[in-house]
């Protein structure tokens, strides 16, 4: 309520363990294997903060401004120190009971004969498959996977809903705007469409995220607006 930290230091199991902020769910920075950095190496963390992307994820939501205006300008030594510190934070066995593993079985549901049987599968093939792949693994470091990422595994689906409704802001690395950005689907897809496709994503390829409800979409649709294609870059002399 007072916007204070849930945990004061690393001795608290809630320290940097994730929270909902301005319609985005910031995932855990601890070594939780599903909703945190457990499956990331120190190099993965370093490259994410340095370039805004790695094979696990691409910055989006509030983290885009953090990268555009802050972490990419750190020295490499400082970024390595941050990565080393974050990887030293322990996991919480109660938060993530078992590590995510890829399961290819759901890919069969995206074949033409199976799309009609599972809500959201046809929408995925029409709107998501070209970039994120039939297998949900994305396109290397350029387009993030949907399989095994925190937004697909966390109990809070706010980030997945927000980026689907509003798209992502543009990443600017070394002064060059990114050519790829997630588009807004608030005009193309109904609340039910978005709930169906996100539920499909959050229950496919080994993902075990909670079901997304139409009421969840309605709440964020009313409180949020599409991301601007013009990045906010803070300049200091």
């Amino acid at each position: 309520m007072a916007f204070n930290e849930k945990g004061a230091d690393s001795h608290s199991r809630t320290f940097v363990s994730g929270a909902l902020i301005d319609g985005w769910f910031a995932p855990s920075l601890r070594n939780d294997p599903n909703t945190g950095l457990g499956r990331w190496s120190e190099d993965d963390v370093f490259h994410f903060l340095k370039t805004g992307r790695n094979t696990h994820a691409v910055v989006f939501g509030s983290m885009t401004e953090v990268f555009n205006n802050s972490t990419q300008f750190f020295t490499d030594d400082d970024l390595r120190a941050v990565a080393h510190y974050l990887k030293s934070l322990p996991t919480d066995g109660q938060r993530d009971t078992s590590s995510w593993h890829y399961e290819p079985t759901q890919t069969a549901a995206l074949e033409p004969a199976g799309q009609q049987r599972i809500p959201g599968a046809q929408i995925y093939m029409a709107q998501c498959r070209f970039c994120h792949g039939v297998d949900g693994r994305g396109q290397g470091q350029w387009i993030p996977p949907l399989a095994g990422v925190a937004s697909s595994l966390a109990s809070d689906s706010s980030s997945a809903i927000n980026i689907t409704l509003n798209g992502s802001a543009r990443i600017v690395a070394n002064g060059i705007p990114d050519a790829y950005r997630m588009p807004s689907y608030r005009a193309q897809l109904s609340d039910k469409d978005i709930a169906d496709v996100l539920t499909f994503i959050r229950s496919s390829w080994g993902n075990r995220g909670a079901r997304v409800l139409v009421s969840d979409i309605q709440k964020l649709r009313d409180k949020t607006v599409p991301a601007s294609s013009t990045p906010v870059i803070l300049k200091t002399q």
Side-chain angles (χ1 to χ4, degrees), residues 165 186 191 216-225:
L165 276 172
R186 66 165 49 226
D191 292 345
D216 298 331
I217 314 299
Q218 292 170 337
K219 290 175 185 176
L220 275 180
R221 185 186 288 273
D222 293 339
K223 295 179 180 179
T224 59
V225 296

Side-chain angles (χ1 to χ4, degrees), residues 48-120:
F48 185 76
L49 298 175
K50 178 74 173 180
T51 67
R53 60 186 70 245
N54 59 27
T55 56
H56 297 281
V58 176
V59 295
F60 70 98
S62 304
M63 190 62 195
T64 305
E65 291 185 17
V66 174
F67 169 76
N68 283 349
N69 294 293
S70 181
T71 62
Q72 68 173 302
F73 302 111
F74 285 23
T75 66
D76 284 0
D77 285 345
D78 283 346
L79 288 178
R80 293 285 182 191
V82 171
H84 183 74
Y85 170 70
L86 291 179
K87 289 300 295 180
S88 75
L89 298 177
T91 185
D92 183 340
Q94 295 180 351
R95 194 161 36 242
D96 285 357
T97 55
S98 60
S99 182
W100 171 88
H101 293 285
Y102 185 82
E103 296 177 6
T105 53
Q106 194 67 15
T107 302
L110 298 176
E111 297 296 330
Q115 292 176 31
Q116 301 294 331
R117 295 198 301 269
I118 300 177

Side-chain angles (χ1 to χ4, degrees), residues 23-24 60 106 110 118-125 127-128 132 145-147 149-167 182-183 185-186 189-205 207-218 220-221:
W24 299 98
F60 70 98
Q106 194 67 15
L110 298 176
I118 300 177
Q122 193 168 31
I123 298 171
Y124 182 86
M125 287 298 286
Q127 304 292 347
C128 315
H132 295 287
L146 299 176
V149 295
S151 61
S152 297
L153 298 168
S155 58
D156 192 309
S157 59
S158 297
S159 286
I161 295 171
N162 202 332
I163 197 168
T164 305
L165 276 172
N166 300 310
M182 173 75 175
Y185 283 102
R186 66 165 49 226
L189 299 178
S190 69
D191 292 345
K192 185 179 185 305
D193 289 338
I194 294 175
D196 284 348
V197 73
L198 290 181
T199 296
F200 173 80
I201 290 168
R202 286 164 59 82
S203 60
S204 299
W205 311 298
N207 294 340
R208 295 291 184 268
R211 179 186 173 205
V212 179
L213 304 177
V214 171
S215 58
D216 298 331
I217 314 299
Q218 292 170 337
L220 275 180
R221 185 186 288 273

